[in-house]
Amino acid sequence: MLNVPLPVSVSSQLKDLQAALVGRYQILRELGAGGMATVYLAEDLKHDRKVAVKVLRPELAAVLGAERFVQEIKTTANLQHPHILPLFDSGEADSFLYYVMPFIDGETLRDKLDRETQLGIDEAVRITSEVADALDYAHRNNVIHRDIKPENILLHDGRPMVADFGIALAVSAAAGGRMTETGLSLGTPHYMSPEQATADKDLTNRSDIYSLGSVLYEMLTGEPPHLGGSAQAIIMKIVTEAAQPVTAIRKSVPPNVAAAVDKSLEKLPADRFESASKFAEALTNPAFTLPTAQVAATSASSTRRSTVGLRVFAAFAVVMALWGWLRPRPEAQNLVSRYSIALPDNEALGDRNFRGSHIAISPDGSRLVYYATSTGRAFDDENPDARLVVRNLDQLNATPIPGTEGGVHPFFSPDGSSVGFLQQDGWRTVSLDGGSAITIGQSGLAQLGGSWGHDGYLYFSGRLPGSGVVRVAEEGGPPEIVTSADTARAEAEHIWPVALPGGRGVVFTVTRGGTMDFDEWEIAVVDLTTGRHNVLGPGTRASFAAGHLFYVTAAGVLMAAPFDETTLAVTGGAVAIGDGLQIGFMGSADLAVSQTGTVLYTTGDLYRRTNAELVWVERDGSAEAIDPGWTEDFRQPALSPDGTRLAVSVREGEEQEIWIKELDRGPETKLTFSGTNFYPEWTPDGERLVYTHCCGQGLDLHTRRADGSGQEELLFYDERALWEVSYSPDGRWLVYGVNNPIRDLYALRIGADSTHVPLVVTEFDEVAHAVSADGRWLAYISDESGQDEVYVRPFPNTDAGQWLVSSNGGQEPVWARNGRELFYRSGGNMMAADVLPGATFAIGDRRVLFSTRGYRAGPKHPEYQVTPDGQRFLMIRDRIDSSGETELIVVENVFEELKAKAGR
């Protein structure tokens, strides 16, 4: 296992909390958040031990007041029991109300249920009996828990420990009659007793017994006794409807266990067990039965329901005033549902020509996050409408997520409160409750999917060819290697990682052959405790939910198979649950699965062509098509030195080739035929083209005469991945980018150097280089400030200075041929910066020329060119072909389908 110190979060709340607790506790990172408190992992400096510091929500702390809360919580500090998590400390520090408990290196019962859905009967009874023993002890000490639920039962080496004992009571007592001001209710709707649901202030120990019975019911059947689409609906069922007998759902439950569950869930407290110990005894006593016949019990229950039903309406307003559920669980469905989602035009799913996944679903299945754009265009960070949006599945419209413009590859945090995503080649996270996006990593991480683990790490694919899975702490930091591609087994890369909820392993895709040779690709899993990985079977992309591995085959079929997180092995046969899935470059596919059994995927043409046209754009923004009859998927244009010819990369199905166009409406000819070629660059004399070629031994530089005569030649190969290339105007220097694993800039004096000269080699990404017309200056993009900006250095003596050209972001620098202007894109506009004459570099005015909305953008390479006179811009304008529309498919309650097809 990778053992590294957990970094301290840099968020403002953590900083304030750390300052308040300085000298007592060292806050390491956030573990999670619930209805009343946020939980942090911390170091107890005095006792040299890991602890969990729980900080009450600010709005709750403001109502309670420190003195009363600390006084009330002291009553629970003396509870000492093997199955009760003890209270170490509590207090108030700079407006923070907190309490401290041991840090348990394990999982909650909720985590286990989300993974396994149902537990073995013996295990469920044992857990319940041990929790009941803890409750009985607390009840005899006049402490009622009030919030028994799977989230508050920790499992340490399989042994349950009840957390937050008495905290709900302390909060209630401290708040007095002001609980309505907090927006909180004490208890969780699925596990509330009827008297708690109807706001009865005088709760007894039998309320906890009801809640524990509800937890046992879920362990046995896979769902709580009462479900509903809202908190109100759940409450109504709790107080008016009898729970379905557990044996109606799981016939193997012994009669005494079923009878004990029924008695614990009686509507009237007096009809339940008189103590938690009696409940535990009934569970282990095969002779236990209900005292009355079933018919009589049912009749009595109906009468009681009528009586209790009158109470719910009298108390309904009180209950709603108290209600503050953060994430209610959706109602389970017994029937499998399949349907497609129609998205409004202004919230359309972004085109999937860009590699990656554009959809994600929250763990509880209630919310969808996806990449949306009103234009339907691919990765378009220059389009202000292109961003991630969040949509509740029970709503008709989505809401934009601030700070996610141009974001793709969304994935949820384990608690569903935050989303990770890729933006301008950097990975970021953002809370769905508001706040700024946080940069997690930009260097060394590939654009091939991300996953948020329960262990506080985010998992990605490494950037270099031959690299494996890497991880970054959720607070940010350098990437750590998790896997390496096994060349002995012909593995090329490890991509599309999926962190398993249990924290034991990570599932990922092993690539072999070319970028589209999906028949040779496989799904694998790495054991984080040993670092070794094993192949599970063929596939291109995988996901995981509730004990099932979901994966896409090379033919676009969605399969599901049972998977054991403990042994990291497939334990049964796979069944098909969907087909026609889109598979794009590097196996990209839109697939998302929730822990509750909701599946999302897209179908449609494998390559939905996004045609484009080449246009001349004047400095005032007016545009004219160069040749309306030539529309292709154009990329990376390059004007010849005299401005009469154009070299451009054209995407053609699985391939990308270089074409030459005589301007304006002359003929076009195909120059390359060898697979994937891009980033064309003219030699200064205009006779040859140099371009990046993929994928023989990797990415290398090739050259060919522009008139198509002669053969394609290898210019040079480097063991590092080679990217875009440019010449100095005098033709003496060749400048190029490498991936090592971050992107750096090197140069080579043609005919003079035998070794390559480093130009800009730092810990940051440097790309999109260009040498000025007089050969004195090198412009490029760097992310050293935390976002892409345009910089200039002297050339070739790049260590002699550095100047920042752009502000608030900048990309795609291109020099004017006269050397007096430097063009670049920023904020969706084409910018022109005046270059002042002199011995040193200096920038004068910066001005907006025109909006670049509607034109293709290249975050790491220019997608436009400037004529020799500096008056016109050659740009690429999208023309969307509406044929082959993508369809977004939803499958609800997929686990029921798996049970029906495979008996599980």
Side-chain angles (χ1 to χ4, degrees):
M1 177 178 288
L2 301 170
N3 294 312
V4 296
L6 294 170
V8 178
S9 171
V10 296
S11 71
S12 59
Q13 183 178 8
L14 279 179
K15 286 182 178 179
D16 293 343
L17 179 61
Q18 183 60 74
L21 299 177
V22 64
R24 301 168 65 184
Y25 301 100
Q26 173 67 42
I27 303 299
L28 300 178
R29 62 181 172 90
E30 181 178 327
L31 293 174
M36 291 190 295
T38 301
V39 189
Y40 298 93
L41 176 63
E43 185 75 24
D44 183 342
L45 300 178
K46 180 178 180 180
H47 301 98
D48 191 23
R49 61 186 177 185
K50 293 287 191 301
V51 295
V53 177
K54 298 196 173 186
V55 181
L56 293 188
R57 285 171 46 177
E59 64 269 30
L60 182 58
V63 171
L64 300 185
E67 183 177 351
R68 184 68 187 276
F69 173 73
V70 172
Q71 178 182 346
E72 292 294 338
I73 205 171
K74 285 180 180 178
T75 63
T76 70
N78 293 323
L79 292 179
Q80 301 294 326
H81 189 275
H83 297 296
I84 294 179
L85 197 65
L87 179 70
F88 281 168
D89 190 15
S90 63
E92 184 266 347
D94 291 349
S95 77
F96 290 105
L97 294 184
Y98 69 94
Y99 54 102
V100 182
M101 292 183 169
F103 170 66
I104 300 299
D105 188 12
E107 64 178 352
T108 67
L109 180 58
R110 167 56 56 219
D111 295 331
K112 186 176 180 67
L113 287 171
D114 287 345
R115 186 177 68 252
E116 301 179 11
T117 306
Q118 294 171 301
L119 304 188
I121 295 173
D122 291 342
E123 182 181 24
V125 168
R126 176 185 58 80
I127 291 174
T128 304
S129 297
E130 291 173 350
V131 172
D133 191 47
L135 286 175
D136 186 67
Y137 166 82
H139 294 162
R140 285 186 279 109
N141 284 273
N142 300 315
V143 177
I144 301 172
H145 192 288
R146 297 180 177 228
D147 198 15
I148 291 294
K149 58 185 177 183
E151 289 82 351
N152 278 337
I153 300 174
L154 306 181
L155 299 176
H156 182 55
D157 293 333
R159 181 168 58 92
M161 299 190 72
V162 184
D164 285 0
F165 225 111
I167 302 302
L169 175 61
V171 170
S172 177
R178 297 176 298 155
M179 277 301 295
T180 56
E181 298 177 41
T182 69
L184 291 172
S185 175
L186 301 177
T188 301
H190 296 89
Y191 313 97
M192 271 187 169
S193 65
E195 61 269 28
Q196 192 175 12
T198 53
D200 192 335
K201 294 182 179 180
D202 298 320
L203 299 181
T204 69
N205 64 317
R206 302 192 189 204
S207 178
D208 280 351
I209 292 172
Y210 183 99
S211 299
L212 181 57
S214 299
V215 172
L216 174 57
Y217 189 102
E218 182 172 1
M219 285 192 283
L220 294 172
T221 68
E223 57 188 29
H226 299 288
L227 296 166
S230 65
Q232 298 95 320
I234 296 171
I235 281 185
M236 190 66 70
K237 290 182 178 181
I238 286 174
V239 298
T240 63
E241 296 182 9
Q244 188 177 15
V246 293
T247 50
I249 303 174
R250 190 173 181 180
K251 295 179 180 179
S252 58
V253 176
N256 69 299
V257 174
V261 172
D262 287 345
K263 187 173 180 66
S264 70
L265 297 180
E266 286 287 351
K267 300 300 180 186
L268 292 179
D271 290 339
R272 298 176 210 143
F273 292 102
E274 63 185 21
S275 68
S277 63
K278 295 294 186 182
F279 184 17
E281 291 174 7
L283 291 174
T284 57
N285 179 11
F288 177 80
T289 58
L290 293 177
T292 58
Q294 184 64 46
V295 174
T298 302
S299 176
S301 177
S302 300
T303 303
R304 288 193 297 271
R305 286 201 302 271
S306 300
T307 303
V308 176
L310 297 176
R311 297 173 57 202
V312 70
F313 296 103
F316 194 67
V318 176
V319 174
M320 292 304 100
L322 291 173
W323 212 255
W325 314 122
L326 295 180
R327 286 177 296 277
R329 297 177 58 190
E331 183 175 6
Q333 301 290 328
N334 290 326
L335 297 178
V336 178
S337 299
R338 269 184 175 79
Y339 54 89
S340 61
I341 294 181
L343 301 174
D345 291 341
N346 63 340
E347 298 172 5
L349 186 68
D351 182 9
R352 284 210 51 264
N353 265 355
F354 180 75
R355 70 178 71 175
S357 176
H358 290 15
I359 61 175
I361 191 169
S362 60
D364 65 2
S366 65
R367 292 196 285 187
L368 164 68
V369 166
Y370 66 96
Y371 167 72
T373 169
S374 61
T375 66
R377 294 171 55 191
F379 187 59
D380 184 3
D381 59 348
E382 295 290 338
N383 178 359
D385 292 330
R387 67 183 67 196
L388 296 180
V389 298
V390 58
R391 170 175 165 176
N392 289 349
L393 288 181
D394 61 353
Q395 300 295 319
L396 296 177
N397 293 100
T399 302
I401 304 174
T404 64
E405 292 76 10
V408 292
H409 294 315
F411 55 90
F412 274 90
S413 62
D415 63 2
S417 65
S418 299
V419 171
F421 62 100
L422 175 69
Q423 184 183 55
Q424 297 181 353
D425 206 26
W427 290 96
R428 295 173 173 82
T429 62
V430 64
S431 171
L432 295 179
D433 295 327
S436 301
I438 300 173
T439 299
I440 298 300
Q442 291 178 296
S443 300
L445 307 179
Q447 303 176 11
L448 298 172
S451 179
W452 201 322
H454 285 66
D455 57 359
Y457 285 91
L458 281 72
Y459 290 82
F460 307 98
S461 174
R463 173 168 286 172
L464 274 179
S467 64
V469 175
V470 298
R471 71 179 188 179
V472 177
E474 59 187 19
E475 297 84 3
E480 304 171 12
I481 296 175
V482 177
T483 72
S484 296
D486 188 347
T487 56
R489 293 193 289 184
E491 295 180 359
E493 294 179 274
H494 295 168
I495 60 177
W496 311 123
V498 177
L500 298 176
R504 173 74 181 273
V506 177
V507 173
F508 57 91
T509 302
V510 175
T511 70
R512 291 185 174 87
T515 58
M516 303 296 289
D517 295 335
F518 301 141
D519 289 333
E520 299 183 29
W521 291 19
E522 295 176 307
I523 305 300
V525 61
V526 59
D527 187 337
L528 292 178
T529 63
T530 65
R532 292 191 295 270
H533 68 272
N534 297 308
V535 170
L536 300 174
T540 64
R541 187 81 186 271
S543 186
F544 178 86
H548 290 83
L549 180 71
F550 296 81
Y551 61 96
V552 183
T553 71
V557 178
L558 178 58
M559 307 290 292
F563 184 84
D564 189 330
E565 273 200 90
T566 302
T567 61
L568 299 181
V570 175
T571 58
V575 297
I577 57 175
D579 59 10
L581 274 74
Q582 291 182 336
I583 306 178
F585 184 72
M586 293 301 291
S588 60
D590 283 328
L591 170 64
V593 186
S594 77
Q595 296 296 324
T596 56
T598 299
V599 178
L600 297 175
Y601 61 89
T602 58
T603 62
D605 287 349
L606 180 62
Y607 290 102
R608 174 186 167 191
R609 181 176 297 277
T610 307
N611 280 339
E613 60 182 349
L614 302 169
V615 296
W616 292 118
V617 182
E618 304 292 337
R619 292 173 75 99
D620 64 1
S622 58
E624 178 185 6
I626 292 175
D627 187 345
W630 195 34
T631 60
E632 295 288 348
D633 190 358
F634 297 118
R635 318 275 177 105
Q636 304 129 15
L639 276 175
S640 63
D642 61 5
T644 63
R645 289 170 295 170
L646 169 70
V648 63
S649 179
V650 177
R651 181 71 177 268
E652 301 171 328
E654 299 181 10
E655 298 181 346
Q656 192 167 322
E657 301 289 5
I658 308 297
W659 287 67
I660 305 295
K661 171 75 172 177
E662 299 289 337
L663 298 174
D664 275 349
R665 300 195 182 187
E668 59 272 357
T669 57
K670 190 175 182 179
L671 183 70
T672 64
F673 301 86
S674 55
T676 303
N677 300 281
F678 41 92
Y679 297 143
E681 174 72 11
W682 293 86
T683 57
D685 59 12
E687 293 185 359
R688 303 185 70 87
L689 267 297
V690 177
Y691 44 89
T692 303
H693 171 75
C694 177
C695 299
Q697 299 180 13
L699 296 175
D700 44 38
L701 297 181
H702 285 211
T703 181
R704 189 173 187 183
R705 291 186 59 84
D707 60 9
S709 63
Q711 297 296 316
E712 181 181 68
E713 301 174 12
L714 174 66
L715 187 62
F716 69 85
Y717 164 77
D718 193 293
E719 62 182 8
R720 301 163 295 188
L722 299 174
W723 293 93
E724 65 269 20
V725 61
S726 64
Y727 281 92
S728 62
D730 60 11
R732 296 174 55 202
W733 288 89
L734 185 67
V735 182
Y736 61 94
V738 303
N739 198 337
N740 191 35
I742 59 177
R743 298 184 182 184
D744 295 316
L745 303 182
Y746 288 80
L748 181 70
R749 281 185 299 177
I750 300 172
D753 290 331
S754 59
T755 59
H756 304 285
V757 179
L759 292 180
V760 189
V761 180
T762 72
E763 60 184 304
F764 307 105
D765 267 348
E766 293 90 23
V767 294
H769 48 81
V771 180
S772 62
D774 59 7
R776 297 175 59 196
W777 313 110
L778 176 72
Y780 64 96
I781 297 172
S782 174
D783 61 5
E784 63 182 81
S785 68
Q787 65 177 340
D788 287 343
E789 298 282 8
V790 177
Y791 293 86
V792 168
R793 289 178 183 247
F795 182 81
N797 301 317
T798 52
D799 291 336
Q802 182 188 35
W803 297 270
L804 175 64
V805 176
S806 59
S807 60
N808 298 320
Q811 297 174 334
E812 302 177 77
V814 174
W815 293 96
R817 297 289 177 88
N818 61 16
R820 294 195 291 268
E821 289 180 301
L822 179 58
F823 305 103
Y824 61 94
R825 293 207 213 202
S826 180
N829 296 309
M830 182 65 70
M831 306 292 296
D834 291 335
V835 179
L836 302 180
T840 187
F841 184 80
I843 288 292
D845 291 339
R846 300 174 180 84
R847 57 194 177 279
V848 175
L849 296 184
F850 54 86
S851 170
T852 58
R853 181 175 181 180
Y855 299 105
R856 288 197 171 177
K860 299 301 183 184
H861 186 84
E863 291 288 343
Y864 71 96
Q865 291 280 278
V866 183
T867 56
D869 63 4
Q871 298 306 302
R872 291 198 300 178
F873 296 78
L874 189 151
M875 306 190 74
I876 302 172
R877 182 167 61 192
D878 278 326
R879 292 176 58 181
I880 303 300
D881 181 357
S882 61
S883 63
E885 290 290 341
T886 294
E887 189 172 12
L888 179 57
I889 305 298
V890 181
V891 182
E892 290 186 340
N893 209 27
V894 71
F895 299 127
E896 290 298 320
E897 179 173 353
L898 297 180
K899 291 177 183 178
K901 288 184 174 180
R904 58 175 182 267

